[in-house]
Amino acid sequence: MTALPRGETPGSPAADDEGVVATPSAAAPAEDGNEDDSGSGNGSGDGSADGSADAAGTAPAPLSEAEAELAAQRELRERIEKRKAEKEGPIAAGGKLSGRAADLLAAVRAVESGEQPATSFFDSPAPAAPRRTAPAPAPARPRAPEPARAPQSAPPEAVAATASVLAEGGAPAALAGPAAEALGAQAAEALRADPWQLLTVPGVRPEQADGFARALLGAECGPDDERRTAALVGWLLERAALRGHTALDISEVRAALAERSVADPDAAVQHAVAEGVVLVFQEDQDGQESGAPAEPGEDTGPAAGREPVQVLLGLDRYALAEESLADGLARLVNACEKDADWTAAASAAASPSAAELIRAVAAHGLVAHAGGEAARAEPAALITAARGLGLRALGAVHSADGRRRLAEATGDPETAVTLAGLLSGEQGPGRDEEGAIAVDLLVVLDAPQLDVETAAILVESLADGTRLVLSGDPGVLGSAGAGRVFADVLAARACPQIVSRTPDPGPIGELVSGIGIGELNQVDAPGREVVIVPVRDAGEAVHRTVQLVADSVPRAIGVPPSDTQVITVGHGGSAGTRALNAALKQRLNPGPGRFAGFDPGDRVVHVPAPGRAVPAVVVSADAEGLRLDCAGTEVVVAQDRVASSVRHGWALSAHQAAGMRWPAVVVVLPGDAVQGLSRPWVYTAFSRGERHLSVVHGVDQALQRAVAQPPAQERTTRLRTLLETPAR
């Protein structure tokens, strides 16, 4: 990641504080470097309040004997073969999930059976509530304000023992709690036996773990220690997951290991596979996954008498989630009633695209629907039509704002839920006696924001015969979590695809539609719907942004600062979210920050779980924690969680803003933002405004180049191959 310029002084204000309606044009020479929007580089979203947290790998204790290593490799091959063979049989609910997916399903079942109280699972990223039988949709019930639960802390004695070991290795005592949470009650013993397990702690980098290991092991420590190489392989895969990958090409892993002084990267990979740190997969030339995994050091090229193959390494949690999702989608496709007659409902649809969508869903269990903001009316019409036919139809979105917009489109608040609320049981119809979500038709809007683990949990929760529609705009940024579910389903052509013919209206819609095909066009904006504000440097960009939000947009457009959202490329830098939030707070809600840096009235973003960003407003604080108003719902964030899960929210990254819209949006493009620009980023940021878009433009021709360049597949995944591979 390129270093960011800092310390620039504000430039003089432009003469016209309203800006001019124009094609984005050169205003200042581009500067190099910018912090990535998500802290990851390709649109993975934020894993913490500011998106800067690092991932961690796992490193089990090494094997010292060659025979044990060979036995482990044989067990791995048998495990993969068994998993592939299971595809031919019935799918056991939850049997193919791991990580968060398995944890959530286990939590639901334990609560359902009475083995555990519901409160014992509040440390899950998506808390599970008891399933309840509900044969028909029930209205969402108001809930009393509840504290935002923090992850369960490790026992004090474990933290103390871990702190002692960390002190021996010269590591900060502040890592004791996170290390004990990551490694469990035996964290101290695990770190003493394998110091590189410190990489399991979020934020710890290899050079820090190396220093800790040198302090503990002394002369026994070396760059090719199998404990080190295994931990590095896991860490590389976890880091890749933050960037959205569910797997990595084996050559990338080898190259990264070589850069970190591993003398024999191939042997290191073989050892990591034998240890079970990662799984290995191979695809033949036509993209189909082969039946048996390749040995990591095995020659798979033409010289070996075979077609070239791509060998991928993946973490177990993502590999099993993708396989479970692929199997689950196939189950929905095959179990659906194919001869349903929805002719009358289709004939009554308000648009040809809505009618086409209704007909496709009547005949198929899985349908993909693609379109922009205006096209959201089509899945809304589908939900209304299905409910008119007596079906239990529901729409799931990724934000409270999206839920509000869907409810307005259908005219019925009961038809819209957030995806997190649906899975946790806090919203929606609940679950039937079999534990499945009690719906006949589920439409997931903003489907590009659907990560593979959440998608696996969702599909696992749908009964045979349920119809599923994945609807979204293919041009926007991808999910915060690993995977590219919507893009892979589209690319695999695993189901009928309905492409909306309903264009987004107005100058903003015209501008965004052009961006979607690689054209940055000048648009007529008689009502100042689109305004370009040239700036010379980052300091001037901050000054002009504050001026637009506080004065120009309210005066010229009539949108108050509370309804205007600032979007910028990175969190760091002279015009990143941190700098912009500080300047906007000083102008819009000055105060001493007496509540852990916040004051009543501050706009903030709350991150209740990695990848989820919830806009809120600070109400007050007391002994229980910081009280927030999240779209009318009061949330209490415990004091010890405020620093890690709450940040100011006048300015957001485009990844945080995905799936939400505001009456007015100010997009900030300082000179140091060039490296973070791409067509999906520009498309996402520019399409967040409903009535007005201001572009604070200081990237010269880099904006046009970013829009013109076709978006590449930025994530390596296996889901498309699994969907395309016929069942064996």
Side-chain angles (χ1 to χ4, degrees):
M1 189 174 295
T2 307
L4 298 166
R6 297 183 182 276
E8 297 176 317
T9 56
S12 58
D16 176 14
D17 76 354
E18 303 288 332
V20 292
V21 179
T23 303
S25 58
E31 301 173 17
D32 292 331
N34 187 45
E35 182 170 331
D36 180 77
D37 185 21
S38 65
S40 60
N42 82 335
S44 70
D46 299 308
S48 64
D50 64 359
S52 61
D54 281 336
T58 58
L63 294 176
S64 58
E65 299 181 7
E67 292 81 4
E69 180 177 347
L70 292 174
Q73 291 176 340
R74 287 194 297 270
E75 291 174 2
L76 172 67
R77 288 194 294 269
E78 292 171 0
R79 192 162 69 246
I80 294 176
E81 288 300 323
K82 180 180 179 181
R83 186 167 58 250
K84 292 182 178 297
E86 287 173 351
K87 293 183 179 180
E88 299 178 359
I91 300 171
K96 294 194 176 185
L97 298 182
S98 65
R100 290 192 300 164
D103 291 344
L104 178 60
L105 197 59
V108 172
R109 288 172 174 167
V111 172
E112 188 178 38
S113 64
E115 296 176 3
Q116 295 287 348
T119 55
S120 65
F121 297 103
F122 273 114
D123 59 338
S124 173
R131 294 174 175 172
R132 56 187 185 280
T133 302
R141 295 185 292 276
R143 296 170 57 86
E146 292 186 359
R149 310 301 175 113
Q152 293 179 349
S153 300
E157 56 274 14
V159 175
T162 304
S164 177
V165 176
L166 291 174
E168 291 181 36
L175 295 178
E181 291 177 6
L183 298 173
Q186 305 302 315
E189 291 82 353
L191 288 172
R192 193 177 297 280
D194 182 358
W196 286 281
Q197 289 205 37
L198 190 64
L199 282 173
T200 60
V201 179
V204 174
R205 299 186 60 81
E207 52 269 25
Q208 296 166 325
D210 286 342
F212 176 67
R214 282 193 297 270
L216 283 185
L217 301 179
E220 299 179 18
C221 176
D224 294 307
D225 190 303
E226 289 184 336
R227 293 168 292 183
R228 178 179 187 263
T229 60
L232 283 176
V233 171
W235 181 81
L236 289 169
L237 270 293
E238 289 284 5
R239 289 282 295 176
L242 280 183
R243 302 193 302 273
H245 304 287
T246 60
L248 279 183
D249 191 285
I250 193 170
S251 62
E252 295 183 48
V253 177
R254 289 168 176 160
L257 290 172
E259 291 176 357
R260 298 191 176 275
S261 304
V262 176
D264 190 347
D266 188 69
V269 170
Q270 291 187 52
H271 175 69
V273 172
E275 288 286 87
V277 176
V278 293
L279 301 178
V280 59
F281 309 93
Q282 65 180 22
E283 298 176 5
D284 57 29
Q285 199 171 39
D286 62 3
Q288 304 234 341
E289 192 165 281
S290 62
E295 296 293 341
E298 183 181 356
D299 183 3
T300 56
R306 287 173 290 177
E307 293 295 325
V309 298
Q310 181 184 29
V311 180
L312 299 177
L313 298 177
L315 295 173
D316 183 81
R317 59 185 285 196
Y318 298 117
L320 295 184
E322 285 184 308
E323 293 182 6
S324 176
L325 176 57
D327 290 343
L329 293 176
R331 172 175 59 85
L332 294 181
V333 169
N334 295 326
C336 174
E337 177 190 1
K338 302 295 194 300
D339 56 354
D341 184 6
W342 295 9
T343 304
S347 301
S351 69
S353 293
E356 185 180 8
L357 177 61
I358 293 172
R359 286 192 293 268
V361 174
H364 300 87
L366 176 66
V367 174
H369 172 259
E373 286 296 326
R376 295 170 72 95
E378 294 156 19
L382 168 66
I383 293 170
T384 301
R387 291 174 75 89
L389 293 170
L391 299 177
R392 301 170 296 178
L394 194 65
V397 296
H398 289 265
S399 67
D401 173 69
R403 184 186 184 193
R404 173 189 59 80
R405 287 184 283 136
L406 177 58
E408 291 175 353
T410 62
D412 185 355
E414 297 180 12
T415 61
V417 296
T418 64
L419 193 56
L422 177 66
L423 292 175
S424 69
E426 295 180 359
Q427 300 171 11
R431 298 179 182 259
D432 60 23
E433 60 276 4
E434 299 297 327
I437 298 174
V439 293
D440 302 308
L441 167 64
L442 179 65
V443 181
V444 178
L445 285 83
D446 302 317
Q449 274 71 64
L450 191 62
D451 66 89
V452 68
E453 289 189 298
T454 303
I457 296 170
L458 178 66
V459 172
E460 180 80 13
S461 300
L462 298 179
D464 291 354
T466 303
R467 287 174 163 84
L468 175 65
V469 178
L470 300 178
S471 175
D473 190 337
V476 301
L477 291 166
S479 62
R484 54 193 304 266
V485 174
F486 189 55
D488 282 340
V489 169
L490 293 177
R493 298 196 172 277
C495 62
Q497 300 179 16
I498 307 301
V499 179
S500 173
R501 297 184 295 276
T502 305
D504 289 338
I508 296 178
E510 181 182 351
L511 176 64
V512 171
S513 296
I515 293 171
I517 59 173
E519 299 176 358
L520 191 62
N521 300 320
Q522 183 174 353
V523 298
D524 294 328
R528 306 183 74 82
E529 294 89 349
V530 179
V531 172
I532 308 302
V533 183
V535 295
R536 294 183 293 273
D537 53 40
E540 186 181 0
V542 173
H543 172 78
R544 300 289 281 133
T545 300
V546 174
Q547 191 178 52
L548 284 164
V549 174
D551 297 324
S552 302
V553 172
R555 182 173 68 252
I557 312 300
V559 178
S562 59
D563 290 335
T564 301
Q565 182 62 54
V566 176
I567 300 174
T568 190
V569 177
H571 293 295
S574 300
T577 60
R578 299 186 187 101
L580 286 167
N581 275 317
L584 288 163
K585 173 174 172 55
Q586 184 178 7
R587 177 65 182 275
L588 299 175
N589 194 45
R594 61 184 182 276
F595 302 147
F598 301 100
D599 296 294
D602 278 354
R603 284 176 65 176
V604 297
V605 59
H606 176 223
V607 182
R612 288 183 56 201
V614 181
V617 176
V618 175
V619 177
S620 63
D622 52 33
E624 294 184 7
L626 190 67
R627 295 186 176 272
L628 307 177
D629 179 1
C630 299
T633 301
E634 184 177 340
V635 173
V636 182
V637 182
Q639 294 182 17
D640 61 348
R641 294 286 297 164
V642 171
S644 62
S645 64
V646 181
R647 60 177 294 273
H648 288 104
W650 285 281
L652 301 176
S653 68
H655 294 89
Q656 292 174 323
M660 295 180 280
R661 299 194 85 200
W662 293 266
V665 163
V666 177
V667 176
V668 184
L669 304 175
D672 58 5
V674 173
Q675 299 301 320
L677 293 180
S678 65
R679 186 191 296 178
W681 192 96
V682 177
Y683 186 97
T684 302
F686 282 26
S687 61
R688 297 308 94 196
E690 296 175 335
R691 294 170 48 193
H692 175 77
L693 168 67
S694 282
V695 181
V696 179
H697 181 25
V699 292
D700 196 25
Q701 297 301 313
L703 177 60
Q704 189 167 353
R705 289 195 297 269
V707 170
Q709 185 172 358
Q713 177 179 333
E714 298 175 331
R715 303 184 179 196
T716 301
T717 65
R718 297 174 51 243
L719 180 59
R720 176 180 177 178
T721 300
L722 292 169
L723 292 172
E724 291 175 337
T725 302
R728 296 192 174 116

